[in-house]
Amino acid sequence: MTEDVVYLDYAATSAIRPESVTEAVVRYLRDVGATPGRAGHRRAVEAGRVVLRCRRALAELFNAPGDPGRVTFHLNATHALNTALAGLLAPGDRVVRTAYDHNAVRRPVRALAAHGIAETVLVGNPAGTVDLDEAEDALRGARLLVLPHAGNVLGVELPVAALAERAHAAGALVLVDAAQSAGVLPIDVQAMGVDLLAFTGHKGLLGPQGTGGLWVREGIDLRPTLFGGTGGDSDSPDMPALFPDRLEAGSQNGPGIAGLLAGVEWVRTHGVDAVRAREDALKWRLWKALHAIDGVDVRSPPEDGRRTVGIVTVTVRGMDSAAVARRLDAEFGVLVRAGLHCAPESHEILGTGRTGAVRFSVGWATTEAEVDRAVTAMARIAETKDGPRG
Ligand SMILES: Cc1ncc(COP(=O)(O)O)c(C=O)c1O
């Protein structure tokens, strides 16, 4: 599709990708084509090289020490989070999570209740902060803290390092959901005290859908939750003990991982800080202009020095959020996402649990002109919400 649209739904998926990503997928399908780790012939070996280069690039991006095999590939952040939660927790454990979680955390944690795993949810607020004293109390006796690096509705970075320090002092491990942050906020698993990091490939890392993964610190084992072929240790009825094979049952998504590698290389070439600075400027331009429109309530917190991702969440007084998104698309070619964004607790916090909200999200290819076009469209929608005038 090459129509004249303004794509502002990068928080869902970076539907617009650098050409190098598309080319890498095509090149892989055309010139490599084989499945990594499944044979000794040259094409399979080349496929294995692509996958290993991608593990290495991700480990470097996250400053993850040691064996790049501790980066395992999964279909998306959801599969990675399920792999971590179900592979780590055991009956009698308690997990502490936040009210800013995506359903990719909330639902697997809830499902684990049937296996005797309890949860404590840290309270949220419209500013998107976490009370460190509350966290410290909740973490006493817990096995795991799971939190988003940045939420997908408020978009604010959470104080991972401060929370990790408290989690570790209480003897709990730390699992970070980096779905919104990988590629757009700096991630240093060592400095932040992260034990397990789940990421997705199709948002800030600019890869294709069907890619994502998990980094697990050396010394932490996970019980496999999927069982099957790994291309090695084939005479054993059990999954291999070593990563990455332990967590990667079945043929890998070679073309997707080749595209993800190109996306990660794009991010590393441009630099996370530069990507973020650019998106930050666009996000605040959008935030301020939407805030200035009569009838539009901006729900994501104002600029206050904390780092954020490129999300601006709004409602239009007296209008259903789905109707706003429909008008943006149909009349103005502006593509956004309305509703609860798979994070109903964040919407409860913002007071939009019943109505949902409209989420604008900028990305690597967004321009000032696009932001301005979206603002003009919103001004027009707010002005004509009761039907055409005159
Ligand atoms: C904070 C957060 N966690 C998890 C996910 C799930 O990501 P994926 O679609 O890759 O499973 C998303 C994506 O919408 C997200 O925003």
Side-chain angles (χ1 to χ4, degrees), residues 11-13 75-82 100-105 147-153 177-181 198-203 209-213 311 337 341-343 359:
T13 288
L75 272 182
N76 44 46
T78 303
H79 281 230
L81 287 160
N82 274 269
Y100 306 115
D101 286 326
H102 188 276
N103 276 340
V105 168
L147 75 163
H149 186 189
N152 66 320
V153 176
D177 170 4
Q180 286 299 333
S181 61
F199 59 91
T200 197
H202 64 103
K203 301 184 199 269
Q209 286 96 333
T211 61
I311 287 172
R337 180 165 170 207
H341 310 98
C342 303
R359 184 184 70 185

Side-chain angles (χ1 to χ4, degrees), residues 110-130:
R110 170 59 63 93
L112 287 168
H115 301 279
I117 292 151
E119 68 174 311
T120 305
V121 184
L122 300 178
V123 172
N125 57 57
T129 60
V130 174

Side-chain angles (χ1 to χ4, degrees), residues 179-191:
Q180 286 299 333
S181 61
V184 289
L185 290 182
I187 296 179
D188 179 332
V189 290
Q190 300 183 67

